[in-house]
């Protein structure tokens, strides 16, 4: 028993020393100004080993940090030799989300522990990477590469969702500008669910140089400009005031993307926020007209078949009944479309035809 106990103690001691050795290797390479391919290999091996043997909270925190930041370290080490694949790995949303989280968690851990070993470097790293994403997004926007700019702004939000809500809003608007409506719908859904839309605040002021109200990224930036006297008329605005526009856009985009069930749901959510909005009423009209028309889009073929079977009374009756059923199915949607937009010529023609075929003569006569 004593032998077994001593063996366990020895194993624990070896594990502790191993963890310290791996941390030393990782810290040493992390702090280098130039990193070789051999360094990267040694870093990866030490990181993988530390992840397996880490037991204390401290070791787990640093093991997660060093493992997560490897793609950034690799990209930096390669410099001009970095490939498009290396950059894609660095800009993948899953990596960006994990990268931002692990930086924040490590900084918070060191704050709690009272030992700021990496905090200053990590804060600097986070700010520099955020600036890199922002400047990349702005460059793409200025080049009119709206889809790419949209994706880059979304990357910025994913990296730092707590502070970059404006980037999420930019990503959604630019996806629309790029006419990538599926991407736009996805990003507007993200905006709808974001804490930024629920609790965010936008900070405005008017710079003396332009005389036009400007949105500032942070309150401190706006306040500093006002204090220096280079901007006036500071104004705060709750982002939640934009909810009607966001919900409306989701409905319009869902219709554009021919997701009619989602359009119905989005309209139900958006209408209470926009009861008399012209764009939303147009979306509701288009949805109902489209759903009604979908039943009738093969009507000309059916009419041709009916005309070919006039002599066959049984077949003729079957086809006429089939035609009545299609018009009956389309009727509620056409009536709704007509109620929303009675001056639409196509709706009037189809609705009058539906009433006539369904032998609703009084209603047919009421449609001019």
């Amino acid at each position: 028993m004593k032998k077994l106990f001593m063996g366990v103690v020895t194993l624990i001691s070896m594990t502790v020393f191993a963890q310290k050795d791996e941390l030393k290797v990782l810290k040493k390479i992390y702090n280098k100004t130039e990193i070789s391919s051999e360094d990267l290999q040694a870093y990866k091996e030490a990181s993988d080993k530390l992840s397996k043997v880490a037991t204390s909270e401290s070791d787990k925190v640093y093991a997660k940090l060093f493992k997560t930041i490897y793609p950034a370290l690799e990209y930096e080490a390669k410099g001009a030799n970095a490939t498009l694949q290396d950059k894609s790995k660095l800009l993948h949303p899953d990596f960006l989300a994990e990268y931002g989280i692990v930086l924040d968690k490590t900084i918070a851990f060191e704050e709690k522990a009272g030992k700021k070993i990496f905090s200053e470097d990590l804060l600097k790293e986070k700010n520099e990477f955020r600036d890199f994403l922002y400047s990349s997004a702005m460059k793409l926007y200025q080049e009119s590469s709206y889809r790419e700019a949209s994706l880059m702004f979304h990357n910025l939000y994913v990296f730092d969702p707590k502070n970059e809500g404006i980037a999420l809003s930019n990503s959604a608007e630019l996806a629309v500008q790029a006419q990538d409506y599926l991407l736009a719908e996805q990003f507007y859904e993200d905006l709808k669910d974001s804490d930024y839309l629920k609790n965010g605040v936008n900070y405005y002021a008017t710079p003396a140089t332009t005389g036009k109200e400007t949105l500032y990224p942070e309150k401190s930036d706006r306040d500093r400009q006002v204090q220096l006297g280079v901007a006036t008329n500071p104004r705060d605005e709750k982002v939640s005031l934009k909810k009607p526009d966001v919900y409306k856009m989701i409905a319009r985009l869902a219709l554009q993307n021919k997701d009619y069930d989602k359009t119905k749901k989005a309209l139900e959510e958006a209408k209470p926020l926009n009861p008399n909005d012209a764009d939303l009423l147009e979306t509701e009209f288009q949805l109902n007209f489209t759903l009604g028309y979908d039943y009738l889009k093969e009507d000309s073929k059916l009419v041709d078949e009916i005309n070919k079977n006039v002599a066959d009374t049984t077949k003729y009756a079957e086809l006429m009944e089939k035609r009545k059923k299609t018009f009956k199915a389309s009727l509620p949607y056409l009536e709704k479309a007509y109620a929303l937009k009675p001056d639409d010529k196509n709706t009037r023609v189809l609705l009058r035809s539906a009433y006539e075929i369904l032998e609703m003569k009084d209603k047919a006569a009421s449609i001019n």
Side-chain angles (χ1 to χ4, degrees):
M1 183 67 73
K2 185 175 180 182
K3 253 187 181 179
L4 177 61
F5 177 73
M6 290 303 293
V8 172
V9 171
T10 302
L11 179 60
I12 292 171
S13 301
M14 286 174 66
T15 303
V16 170
F17 282 123
Q19 289 173 29
K20 288 181 178 178
D21 287 342
E22 275 108 37
L23 279 171
K24 282 179 183 177
V25 171
L26 292 166
K27 289 175 182 177
K28 183 178 179 182
I29 296 172
Y30 175 81
N31 288 323
K32 283 189 172 185
T33 52
E34 292 187 10
I35 300 172
S36 66
S37 57
E38 291 78 12
D39 288 330
L40 285 175
Q41 183 62 33
Y43 182 101
K44 196 169 188 314
E45 289 174 0
S47 174
D48 290 343
K49 189 171 182 182
L50 181 60
S51 295
K52 291 176 182 177
V53 300
T55 54
S56 69
E57 183 184 5
S58 175
D59 286 345
K60 287 179 180 179
V61 167
Y62 291 120
K64 182 68 174 175
L65 170 68
F66 287 120
K67 188 175 183 65
T68 301
I69 66 176
Y70 177 77
L73 200 72
E74 183 182 37
Y75 184 80
E76 187 179 340
K78 290 185 178 181
N81 295 320
T83 65
L84 185 61
Q85 187 177 4
D86 293 325
K87 188 173 184 179
S88 297
K89 193 189 302 181
L90 194 64
L91 295 177
H92 193 282
D94 290 345
F95 168 74
L96 290 169
E98 189 174 22
Y99 186 28
I101 289 169
V102 80
L103 292 177
D104 288 342
K105 282 189 174 181
T106 307
I107 292 167
F109 171 76
E110 291 194 349
E111 180 74 29
K112 183 181 73 173
K115 293 181 180 179
K116 295 188 178 181
I117 302 170
F118 291 106
S119 291
E120 289 186 10
D121 285 341
L122 295 181
L123 276 171
K124 182 181 177 185
E125 186 176 321
K126 183 171 184 178
N127 289 333
E128 287 178 351
F129 195 71
R130 190 165 50 202
D131 289 346
F132 160 71
L133 292 172
Y134 177 76
S135 60
S136 298
M138 285 302 298
K139 184 174 185 294
L140 289 165
Y141 169 70
Q142 288 161 0
E143 293 170 352
S144 299
S145 299
Y146 299 127
R147 186 179 188 278
E148 292 76 10
S150 169
L151 290 167
M152 194 62 74
F153 271 118
H154 195 263
N155 284 342
L156 176 57
Y157 168 73
V158 168
F159 176 64
D160 191 7
K162 185 178 178 181
N163 300 302
E164 293 296 342
I166 293 173
L168 176 58
S169 181
N170 289 343
S171 72
E173 291 173 12
L174 284 169
V176 173
Q177 198 163 350
Q179 298 182 2
D180 188 332
Y181 301 118
L182 286 171
L183 187 67
E185 185 180 339
Q186 175 190 333
F187 289 173
Y188 267 103
E189 285 284 3
D190 289 348
L191 182 56
K192 175 189 169 186
D193 296 335
S194 69
D195 184 69
Y196 172 68
L197 185 65
K198 294 181 180 74
N199 302 306
V201 179
N202 282 336
Y203 304 102
Y204 295 91
T206 305
T209 53
T210 64
K212 294 181 180 179
E213 188 175 63
T214 298
L215 172 61
Y216 289 80
E218 293 183 16
K219 184 177 187 297
S220 57
D221 295 334
R222 191 275 311 274
D223 290 349
R224 185 163 48 250
Q225 294 289 305
V226 172
Q227 287 168 6
L228 291 171
V230 296
T232 57
N233 302 323
R235 177 175 70 88
D236 296 355
E237 179 183 81
K238 290 182 178 180
V239 181
S240 59
L241 293 173
K242 293 187 176 182
K243 279 179 70 175
D245 291 334
V246 172
Y247 279 59
K248 176 174 73 174
M249 280 302 300
I250 291 171
R252 294 176 68 187
L253 289 164
L255 178 64
Q256 176 69 36
N257 294 326
K258 298 182 179 181
D259 188 338
Y260 301 133
D261 287 339
K262 186 172 182 180
T263 306
K264 288 180 187 176
K265 183 181 176 182
L267 281 167
E268 288 173 5
E269 293 180 323
K271 283 169 66 178
L273 302 174
N274 306 269
N276 300 307
D277 185 88
D279 290 335
L280 202 58
L281 291 172
E282 177 66 21
T283 300
E284 189 176 7
F285 161 75
Q286 290 290 346
L287 172 66
N288 282 280
F289 179 84
T290 301
L291 291 173
Y293 177 75
D294 276 353
Y295 284 101
L296 308 177
K297 59 188 177 184
E298 301 294 325
D299 186 58
S300 60
K301 291 181 182 179
L302 185 57
V303 169
D304 289 341
E305 196 174 351
I306 289 170
N307 291 334
K308 290 176 185 176
N309 288 277
V310 173
D312 186 340
T313 55
T314 302
K315 182 70 173 175
Y316 180 83
E318 287 177 358
L319 292 171
M320 285 298 294
E321 185 61 27
K322 182 179 179 180
R323 193 176 188 219
K324 283 185 178 181
K325 284 182 178 179
T326 60
F327 272 93
K328 187 175 182 180
S330 73
L331 188 60
Y333 300 108
L334 294 176
E335 287 180 328
K336 181 65 175 176
Y338 180 72
L340 288 163
K341 200 172 181 180
D343 60 343
D344 183 74
K345 182 179 179 181
N346 292 326
T347 305
R348 291 203 309 272
V349 169
L350 288 177
L351 184 57
R352 189 188 306 117
S353 296
Y355 284 144
E356 288 171 351
I357 289 165
L358 295 171
E359 299 176 2
M360 303 168 74
K361 295 180 181 179
D362 290 344
K363 288 193 173 184
S366 69
I367 306 296
N368 298 324

